[in-house]
Amino acid sequence: MDLLNTLVDKGLRRELPTREEALAVLATSDDDLLEVVAAAGKVRRQWFGRRVKLNYLVNLKSGLCPEDCSYCSQRLGSKAEILKYTWLKPDEASKAAAAGVAGGAKRVCLVASGRGPTDRDVDRVSQTIEAIKDQNEGVEVCACLGLLSDGQAERLRAAGADAYNHNLNTSEGTYGDITTTHTYADRVDTVQKAHAAGLSACSGLIAGMGESDEDLVDVVFALRELDPDSVPVNFLIPFEGTPLAKEWNLTPQRALRILAMVRFVCPDVEVRLAGGREVHLRTLQPLALHLANSIFLGDYLTSEGQAGKTDLEMIADAGFEVEGADTTTLPEHRVDAAAAGGCGSHGGGGCEPCGDTAPETATSSGARPDLVAVRRRGAGTDLAPNA
């Protein structure tokens, strides 16, 4: 297929596809799916080999959020029967993190619900970061605390944070349909604050909220322009008790096409297979490893994932290997560019903004609320975590 040959060539050169090419990936048929995966897999292997980075989530504070993000089980007014608890103590969070590290996780992601941290919250998280780093040599720590105020990113970095996550989630044009208590521009500003403070920026999207193909391409192109080091691709988990509970729009095949499109647009970036993979990819999860070079191990914030042991078996059976703590995740050119204060996605010098087929209508395989398991173990409980 000429399209795929062109996209592979561009990916190996770190050249941005056109919007039309990105849209064409999403419009490919199920008959062509394996060819799409194979093509994007060539790009993935060029920059990341057959390594899979493991990440582990620790939910520091669950539920009780004042924001109204429609996709979130922790949102204001959510009726989802999730775990609700206030801040974990540093030793509790460190113990939870240790379980993930013992399971092979290279990065621990510390997440707290809320609009954004107070200065006291930053102090609390800083103590947690220090506790985790003291007990787990070489582990990376990523914070995800919401919108940042001036100076907070610098304080987190001084405490030992390596990265900061704040997802764009959806396109700027549709953002107001998903959330009204903050703006798309607020999210962009926080990613830029993290980047400016010297933290590795992590920002991604949520697919399956009823968006169009154009929306998906818009948000991925916007992410490419922001130049995060890692791009988590989440698939909506339609929690009962949230406004998007009925949005079962994804098939395993569409989820794979979305991942392939992200890989072609962000060829040398850590693409992370994130929340909802078990719900929507199901038995096709191993194919996604040919597209993403990073996954979450075990459970998510408020939902349960497949067993950590099963994750590790899946990686091995698919012919991949867990990335070791002594291996640098990103390609050398991105590491060098970041150290020089530049952009790793382009060929040098300053960065410029990177820049239709008919949108695909996903044929849903039917609602599967039986696949949505609310987390009842790990952080905030007395039960052992899944790692």
Side-chain angles (χ1 to χ4, degrees), residues 75-347:
R75 73 187 296 272
L76 179 69
S78 170
K79 294 180 174 57
E81 297 180 356
I82 61 168
L83 289 170
K84 296 182 177 69
Y85 52 86
T86 191
W87 290 94
L88 297 181
K89 296 177 181 177
D91 61 328
E92 294 172 325
S94 182
K95 182 178 179 181
V101 174
K106 181 176 178 177
R107 172 174 289 189
V108 172
C109 303
L110 302 176
V111 188
S113 62
R115 178 179 178 84
T118 64
D119 287 340
R120 182 182 177 189
D121 293 336
V122 172
D123 289 339
R124 190 191 329 256
V125 175
S126 295
Q127 293 171 15
T128 298
I129 294 170
E130 292 166 0
I132 290 172
K133 292 258 182 172
D134 285 346
Q135 296 181 28
N136 301 279
E137 183 178 356
V139 71
E140 299 174 6
V141 176
C142 177
C144 178
L145 312 173
L147 302 173
L148 291 175
S149 301
D150 290 344
Q152 291 183 330
E154 287 80 2
R155 291 173 58 198
L156 289 167
R157 188 185 182 202
D162 300 283
Y164 195 84
N165 166 261
H166 200 59
N167 295 330
L168 296 187
N169 289 328
T170 192
S171 69
E172 183 174 13
T174 59
Y175 196 84
D177 298 332
I178 298 298
T179 304
T180 67
T181 47
H182 60 266
T183 67
Y184 178 91
D186 291 333
R187 287 188 170 265
V188 170
D189 177 68
T190 286
V191 177
Q192 292 172 335
K193 279 186 169 71
H195 216 158
L199 291 167
S200 175
C202 173
S203 188
L205 65 144
I206 304 173
M209 297 190 290
E211 70 283 334
S212 67
D213 283 7
E214 285 80 2
D215 290 322
L216 286 169
V217 170
D218 282 349
V219 68
V220 177
F221 271 59
L223 288 165
R224 165 79 183 226
E225 187 173 339
L226 277 176
D227 193 38
D229 288 326
S230 55
V231 175
V233 180
N234 298 277
F235 301 106
L236 176 72
I237 301 177
F239 273 94
E240 291 296 327
T242 65
L244 299 184
K246 306 304 179 187
E247 294 287 342
W248 289 87
N249 300 310
L250 297 172
T251 64
Q253 294 83 2
R254 177 154 173 83
L256 288 169
R257 280 190 284 270
I258 291 168
L259 284 166
M261 185 270 287
V262 174
R263 174 54 72 197
F264 286 129
V265 177
C266 304
D268 59 341
V269 170
E270 177 189 339
V271 175
R272 185 176 309 148
L273 184 56
R277 64 177 166 95
E278 298 91 343
V279 177
H280 295 292
L281 281 163
R282 301 191 285 277
T283 58
L284 295 192
Q285 286 183 74
L287 282 179
L289 296 177
H290 292 272
L291 310 170
N293 63 293
S294 179
I295 68 169
F296 279 112
L297 176 73
D299 294 334
Y300 303 98
L301 297 177
T302 61
S303 65
E304 294 186 351
Q306 68 184 17
K309 181 174 181 291
T310 302
D311 287 336
L312 298 177
E313 290 173 347
M314 176 181 73
I315 291 169
D317 289 348
F320 292 85
E321 60 184 18
V322 173
E323 183 174 289
D326 58 347
T327 303
T328 301
T329 301
L330 295 172
E332 186 175 350
H333 64 268
R334 284 194 66 89
V335 176
D336 292 344
C343 166
S345 289
H346 306 284

